[in-house]
Amino acid sequence: MENKKFKRYGLILYYLLKIISKTMKIQVIKSDKIKENEGYVCGFWHNKLVGASLGLINFTDKKAVLASPSKDGELISVPMEKMGFTVVRGSSGKDSIKAVLKLIKFIKSGYSAGTPLDGPKGPIYQVKPGMLYLAQKSGRGLVPVGVAFSNKWTFEKTWDKFQMPKPFSKMLCIAGDPIFIPEDANKNDYLDIVRDTLLELDKKAEEELRKK
């Protein structure tokens, strides 16, 4: 019963996003180092999940997303599927290695997979190693995705201060240079690199929006 309830909430969220996005001006800037028709691991912050999803809709025709088995994941999986994403349920941690292995197969076959790097429960802006493992084992680059809105609601009581764009707002999504993690590297050495890059892209997106 609980899952059905959150699926209904997910359906409501989908139609709400569809209506709001129709009124928005959305711009996506992709690094020239991103190759067409090649799979990538796309990482972003949990509070920018809505913006990153809207920005990545046209990133590739073959796209997948990792959604947690929690209520939060149930809420997100419905709109993601309706937006054209293949949803793989599971956490990015070692306890859900099957989900990660499934995503690796998708990425090697040309899919780009995305998930919040600090989700599903935080702490905020702390990169977890699961998606770095995914990039390392798939041999594909991790693309950091920064997002900014000109006008938004911020849910202050949530752990990540989740952001929802307001109708008629502008959104800028920046897909940065792919970060490659060698097979023999310690992925933990890349945690700060990915975090700093992602924070910088968010800052850049906000600065660019202020200029417009």
Side-chain angles (χ1 to χ4, degrees):
M1 290 296 293
E2 194 74 7
N3 282 354
K4 287 184 178 180
K5 181 174 73 173
F6 276 87
K7 283 183 179 179
R8 287 197 298 270
Y9 291 161
L11 195 59
I12 293 170
L13 177 60
Y14 166 70
Y15 285 112
L16 178 62
L17 286 175
K18 189 174 182 180
I19 293 169
I20 291 176
S21 64
K22 292 288 186 182
T23 72
M24 294 173 63
K25 183 178 180 181
I26 299 174
Q27 181 183 7
V28 179
I29 298 175
K30 292 167 59 176
S31 165
D32 56 10
K33 295 182 181 180
I34 295 175
K35 299 178 181 178
E36 296 296 330
N37 302 316
E38 183 165 319
Y40 291 98
V41 178
C42 301
F44 42 87
W45 298 128
H46 195 277
N47 60 11
K48 301 294 180 67
L49 177 61
V50 168
S53 299
L54 291 174
L56 292 173
I57 287 176
N58 298 316
F59 187 84
T60 177
D61 291 334
K62 299 168 69 176
K63 46 191 175 286
V65 63
L66 181 65
S68 76
S70 65
K71 296 173 185 177
D72 178 61
E74 195 68 49
L75 179 66
I76 293 301
S77 64
V78 174
M80 291 293 98
E81 286 178 338
K82 287 191 167 293
M83 290 164 67
F85 289 82
T86 297
V87 177
V88 177
R89 300 301 296 269
S91 137
S92 57
K94 292 181 180 179
D95 58 329
S96 292
I97 192 67
K98 288 182 179 179
V100 174
L101 290 175
K102 189 173 182 179
L103 275 176
I104 288 174
K105 289 182 179 179
F106 273 120
I107 295 168
K108 285 185 175 181
S109 67
Y111 277 75
S112 284
T115 196
L117 295 180
D118 55 348
K121 297 180 180 179
I124 188 171
Y125 303 144
Q126 181 173 309
V127 176
K128 295 181 178 179
M131 294 308 283
L132 274 66
Y133 174 87
L134 182 61
Q136 185 181 44
K137 294 304 178 181
S138 67
R140 301 297 193 268
L142 189 152
V143 174
V145 180
V147 177
F149 307 109
S150 63
N151 203 4
K152 63 184 181 292
W153 290 290
T154 301
F155 297 87
E156 296 290 348
K157 291 185 179 180
T158 59
W159 67 264
D160 63 342
K161 296 184 172 29
F162 194 81
Q163 298 179 11
M164 175 74 77
K166 290 186 178 181
F168 304 101
S169 61
K170 296 178 182 178
M171 186 194 97
L172 178 57
C173 176
I174 303 178
D177 295 346
I179 299 171
F180 291 90
I181 304 174
E183 177 68 27
D184 59 350
N186 183 345
K187 62 182 179 298
N188 292 327
D189 293 340
Y190 287 78
L191 294 175
D192 289 346
I193 294 173
V194 173
R195 181 200 63 203
D196 293 346
T197 302
L198 201 44
L199 289 172
E200 185 61 33
L201 284 177
D202 275 352
K203 182 180 178 182
K204 181 179 180 180
E206 290 167 2
E207 291 174 347
E208 290 297 322
L209 270 186
R210 283 196 291 267
K211 294 177 183 178
K212 296 181 182 297

